[in-house]
Amino acid sequence: MIKLLRSLVLALCIGSFSSCSDYLDIVPDNIPTLDHAFRNRASAEKFLFTCYSYLPDRGNPNYNPEFFSGCENWIAPNNWWFIDNSQQLFAWNIAKGNQNTNSPLLDFWGGANGGKNLFVAIRDCNIFLENIDKPSDMDRMERLRWSSEVKYLKAYYHYYLLRMYGSIPIIRENLPVSSSPEAVRVYRDPFDDVVAYIVELLDEAYEYLPLKIMNETQEMGRITQPIALGLKAQVLTLAASPQFNGNPYYKDVVDNRGVKLFPQEEDKSKWEKAAVAIREAIDCAHEAEHELYYFDRKDKISDSTKVVLNCREAVTERWNPEIIWGSTNNDSFLQSCCAVRFDGVNMESGVVSMMSPTLDVAERYYTKNGVPINEDKEWDYQNRYKTKVATKEYRFYIKEGHETANLHFDREPRFYAALTFDGAMVYGNGVASDDPEDEDVHYAEMKKGQPGGISGATGYNITGYLPRKLVNTGTVLEKKTFTAIRGSFPLLRLADLYLLYAEVLNEVKDVPDAEVYKWIDLVRERAGLEGVEASWSKYSNRPDKPKTKDGMREIIHQERLIEFFCEISNYWDMRRWRMAETFMNQPIRGWNVNGEETSEYYEVKTIARPTFSMKNYLTPISFGAIEQNPNLVQNPGWE
């Protein structure tokens, strides 16, 4: 009877979720007993893929908080025209201040409003680990590998919840169906205990995971040793960071047993533990032959465009050597949100061009000299919103003869890799050329009435920018069709570990030194920039900035925000650094996209004024969940 009940609960839970990638398409259905689910290798493999299937959909802008919740992108209010009217804009509504306790947005605790129930995911991982010894047609090493993958997934789901909610219940094993009501009313475990448990799982998983995927056709996206050590590095960095390392705002969060759920004092040794973990992850990634991506195709293009593609294709080139872990989601919808329409391409193509990076994002990128635009002694910061005509010198970035904002001139290659703007050359769309004389080369036309601008009441960009870095250069837009070249959206790439290591070393050391500079300079070199020391000493009005811990921290933060715009870390980094109030309380600004003439278009407009307060650093637990389990403590500010 217990077996039947557990199977019924399992079947109900599994039926609630769809698969998240091509090779994860199979889930156990119509399973009468768990014995049947693990009767042989084939059925156990289906259950393994079910454990994978709970991974959040990181390539969908409505379900991934990294795209819209952090105020880096905005959309026009009526732009979600192609979605069922009953569906909310979950991530964007968080940015607009609509998070709540009655029905939380992106609820990964209870599985609602765009969130999957990750406690169900953890439970299925436990079921797998409890039963994987049953199939008789599996060899020992395969059994150990699969168990290690599921231990990683179990650790990842705990981490995802930890990052969102702070302290959470540790689910070491599933409770029997016969458990009393009191037994199932679990408590949130102290934050540091959860961190220790996640690290314990990852250490157990590491030994029997492969160093790299050998069967790339069938197994890309499955867990490897560098992925496990990379997550361990991220977990320990989170624990060392200001949001949770002695944050006074959480000091009085106590459950009804009197247990304090968050660290009470700052512990600087946590940075040292994180540094060790990150270096282990980097060394393991190097051993697995991961390296920073450099464009190496034989396209006949300029060196300028090659450097831009170094940065852009590190994100879009499928399973390139920099990607340590990637999502196999179909990202054609994401690309349709980011691509710009060209002459002859209409709305029937399915390209909606709605994801709109803010003016603040455009200003975040460095000048060509590798320093912030407000620090560069050679760059005209005061007149950045005025316009000028592009000369031949800028032909690989901006159409010659086109008048555009000064803000778009003399910027670093990552600016041109990341953002599409009016007049910008858009390399790709099936054309392997950046020669301005080539009639097939495309340029963005984004004023009102132009192909890439407002042409109706829906389906348009609201700031004057689009995230070019998420559109594969091989993706093709035609009159009525949109053919997206599928990528592998990066969940962890080597540059992330390099910049994380620079950040943590800077916190460990009294003053930054060559070892700190080394790791950030590797990323900058790929982007065509000089090292930190050289750039600041030559061009910045704050030449000593890299020589102090505080100054170097500021540099590293900006470097991460630039490198990982529209990827997988900025939203969480802003929270981890306890700086979200700085970034997410700024007005959302853009160009006047209703302008038809240059003088109208290049007027700065305030589009929205989001608000972010201390309570928003953690996601609320739903009122219903706390009502059902009074042992749970609500996150501060949401009571």
Side-chain angles (χ1 to χ4, degrees):
M1 182 64 179
I2 290 177
K3 185 178 292 185
L4 181 60
L5 284 171
R6 292 183 69 183
S7 301
L8 178 60
V9 172
L10 173 64
L12 288 172
C13 293
I14 290 173
S16 301
F17 298 96
S18 60
S19 63
C20 68
S21 78
D22 46 0
Y23 79 85
L24 304 181
D25 242 351
I26 307 169
V27 296
D29 37 359
N30 302 318
I31 300 173
T33 67
L34 285 175
D35 289 334
H36 184 78
F38 291 91
R39 70 188 186 280
N40 55 32
R41 180 190 180 281
S43 58
E45 186 176 40
K46 292 179 181 180
F47 209 111
L48 169 66
F49 294 159
T50 295
C51 294
Y52 271 96
S53 73
Y54 296 104
L55 288 170
D57 186 354
R58 307 295 285 277
N60 189 313
N62 198 31
Y63 303 121
N64 183 350
E66 286 96 328
F67 289 128
F68 282 120
S69 301
C71 297
E72 288 193 321
N73 295 287
W74 212 252
I75 58 175
N78 55 344
N79 237 13
W80 212 261
W81 59 275
F82 50 89
I83 294 292
D84 186 324
N85 289 334
S86 65
Q87 189 174 17
Q88 297 183 50
L89 304 173
F90 305 118
W92 189 42
N93 269 304
I94 290 175
K96 292 196 296 180
N98 294 334
Q99 187 60 281
N100 65 94
T101 56
N102 287 332
S103 184
L105 304 170
L106 296 182
D107 182 4
F108 286 89
W109 190 292
N113 295 327
K116 298 179 180 181
N117 189 324
L118 294 188
F119 287 110
V120 172
I122 293 168
R123 181 173 62 190
D124 279 357
C125 289
N126 284 338
I127 290 172
F128 182 93
L129 295 171
E130 291 166 2
N131 291 277
I132 188 57
D133 288 335
K134 291 180 179 178
S136 59
D137 57 343
M138 290 182 66
D139 64 51
R140 175 176 175 272
M141 292 310 297
E142 188 172 51
R143 200 186 310 272
L144 288 170
R145 179 191 171 185
W146 289 10
S147 296
S148 294
E149 289 180 69
V150 172
K151 286 180 181 179
Y152 172 90
L153 293 170
K154 183 179 174 182
Y156 182 80
Y157 297 139
H158 275 88
Y159 167 66
Y160 203 92
L161 290 164
L162 182 78
R163 193 170 53 172
M164 290 188 74
Y165 297 96
S167 72
I168 60 168
I170 295 173
I171 313 298
R172 295 180 181 273
E173 56 187 23
N174 292 339
L175 293 170
V177 173
S178 58
S179 296
S180 67
E182 290 74 20
V184 299
R185 289 175 179 166
V186 296
Y187 285 90
R188 297 173 68 177
D189 287 288
F191 181 88
D192 283 344
D193 290 355
V194 183
V195 169
Y197 179 63
I198 294 171
V199 169
E200 176 188 323
L201 281 174
L202 294 172
D203 286 342
E204 290 177 7
Y206 171 81
E207 181 178 358
Y208 295 106
L209 291 170
L211 178 65
K212 58 193 297 187
I213 296 298
M214 305 306 294
N215 186 350
E216 295 185 1
T217 302
Q218 296 185 10
E219 295 187 350
M220 289 303 284
R222 288 175 63 172
I223 307 306
T224 62
Q225 288 182 339
I227 294 172
L229 291 184
L231 180 59
K232 180 179 176 180
Q234 291 175 323
V235 171
L236 290 175
T237 302
L238 177 68
S241 297
Q243 183 186 6
F244 295 114
N245 194 359
N247 185 348
Y249 186 69
Y250 302 144
K251 194 169 185 178
D252 296 325
V253 183
V254 181
D255 65 22
N256 59 23
R257 302 167 298 177
V259 174
K260 294 182 180 295
L261 299 184
F262 292 92
Q264 301 297 294
E265 304 293 338
E266 182 181 3
D267 181 355
K268 294 186 177 180
S269 70
K270 291 181 178 180
W271 289 112
E272 297 170 358
K273 293 176 184 177
V276 172
I278 299 169
R279 187 54 194 260
E280 289 176 351
I282 290 173
D283 290 344
C284 184
H286 288 168
E287 185 182 355
E289 300 181 307
H290 290 289
E291 59 187 5
L292 293 181
Y293 175 82
Y294 279 84
F295 178 84
D296 62 356
R297 294 200 304 271
K298 303 302 180 183
D299 301 18
K300 294 181 179 180
I301 54 177
S302 65
D303 289 341
S304 297
T305 299
K306 286 180 181 178
V307 177
V308 168
L309 294 179
N310 285 347
C311 308
R312 181 177 173 186
E313 295 203 346
V315 178
T316 62
E317 183 69 14
R318 187 170 173 82
W319 299 121
N320 72 72
E322 184 169 337
I323 295 178
I324 297 172
W325 190 25
S327 168
T328 54
N329 295 89
N330 188 336
D331 58 2
S332 60
F333 170 62
L334 177 62
Q335 292 192 57
S336 78
C337 295
C338 302
V340 63
R341 292 186 295 272
F342 304 114
D343 187 28
V345 178
N346 59 32
M347 294 296 291
E348 293 179 52
S349 67
V351 177
V352 294
S353 304
M354 71 171 192
M355 190 182 293
S356 308
T358 67
L359 190 59
D360 282 358
V361 166
E363 294 186 329
R364 181 181 297 162
Y365 286 85
Y366 297 140
T367 69
K368 67 179 182 180
N369 295 323
V371 297
I373 60 175
N374 61 339
E375 291 184 27
D376 194 319
K377 295 182 294 186
E378 299 180 354
W379 201 83
D380 189 0
Y381 179 76
Q382 297 302 320
N383 292 311
R384 64 194 183 280
Y385 301 143
K386 293 183 178 180
T387 62
K388 70 178 182 181
V389 175
T391 60
K392 186 176 182 179
E393 175 189 357
Y394 300 100
R395 66 191 181 280
F396 299 120
Y397 305 127
I398 303 169
K399 184 177 182 179
E400 186 176 354
H402 185 86
E403 186 175 356
T404 186
N406 289 335
L407 186 66
H408 302 155
F409 291 89
D410 297 314
R411 305 299 299 277
E412 62 157 309
R414 285 179 295 191
F415 175 85
Y416 302 106
L419 300 175
T420 300
F421 53 88
D422 182 53
M425 175 184 280
V426 184
Y427 180 85
N429 200 48
V431 181
S433 172
D434 66 349
D435 184 353
E437 301 298 321
D438 189 332
E439 62 181 17
D440 292 327
V441 170
H442 291 285
Y443 296 90
E445 298 175 284
M446 298 177 68
K447 296 183 180 70
K448 185 177 181 180
Q450 294 182 335
I454 296 177
S455 57
T458 59
Y460 64 90
N461 174 276
I462 198 172
T463 64
Y465 294 101
L466 286 163
R468 182 192 323 205
K469 73 181 292 186
L470 298 182
V471 182
N472 193 293
T473 57
T475 289
V476 177
L477 290 71
E478 296 176 316
K479 185 175 182 180
K480 294 184 179 182
T481 60
F482 173 69
T483 306
I485 300 299
R486 190 171 178 180
S488 46
F489 188 76
L491 306 180
L492 176 64
R493 54 187 177 97
L494 190 61
D496 193 351
L497 293 180
Y498 284 2
L499 294 182
L500 212 59
Y501 197 37
E503 176 186 345
V504 171
L505 287 176
N506 187 59
E507 298 301 332
V508 169
K509 299 173 181 290
D510 293 330
V511 293
D513 60 13
E515 185 72 0
V516 176
Y517 303 138
K518 170 185 174 180
W519 298 99
I520 189 172
D521 286 351
L522 286 170
V523 178
R524 290 170 62 88
E525 181 181 17
R526 190 261 298 279
L529 301 176
E530 291 186 83
V532 167
E533 289 184 290
S535 294
W536 260 262
S537 64
K538 291 180 184 179
Y539 305 111
S540 175
N541 54 27
R542 298 176 60 189
D544 293 333
K545 186 175 177 180
K547 298 178 182 179
T548 68
K549 182 190 288 281
D550 290 344
M552 195 61 199
R553 182 187 298 120
E554 185 180 329
I555 291 171
I556 294 168
H557 286 181
Q558 184 159 353
E559 193 78 32
R560 284 188 64 84
L561 292 175
I562 289 171
E563 182 70 24
F564 302 115
F565 160 67
C566 242
E567 290 186 56
I568 38 75
S569 67
N570 285 3
Y571 172 69
W572 303 108
D573 277 348
M574 291 173 188
R575 291 164 50 136
R576 177 172 65 81
W577 297 330
R578 219 165 75 195
M579 294 183 65
E581 292 153 294
T582 300
F583 294 104
M584 298 186 199
N585 280 322
Q586 299 300 316
I588 301 297
R589 300 178 303 144
W591 301 116
N592 175 24
V593 295
N594 284 295
E596 298 180 10
E597 304 297 329
T598 298
S599 59
E600 297 176 299
Y601 185 85
Y602 288 106
E603 295 174 358
V604 176
K605 296 292 184 181
T606 295
I607 299 163
R609 295 184 181 276
T611 59
F612 187 98
S613 62
M614 279 299 298
K615 71 176 184 179
N616 298 115
Y617 277 97
L618 294 178
T619 302
I621 303 169
S622 73
F623 175 77
I626 292 178
E627 191 174 46
Q628 290 178 358
N629 179 8
N631 290 337
L632 295 176
V633 178
Q634 181 60 276
N635 279 324
W638 296 105
E639 297 89 345

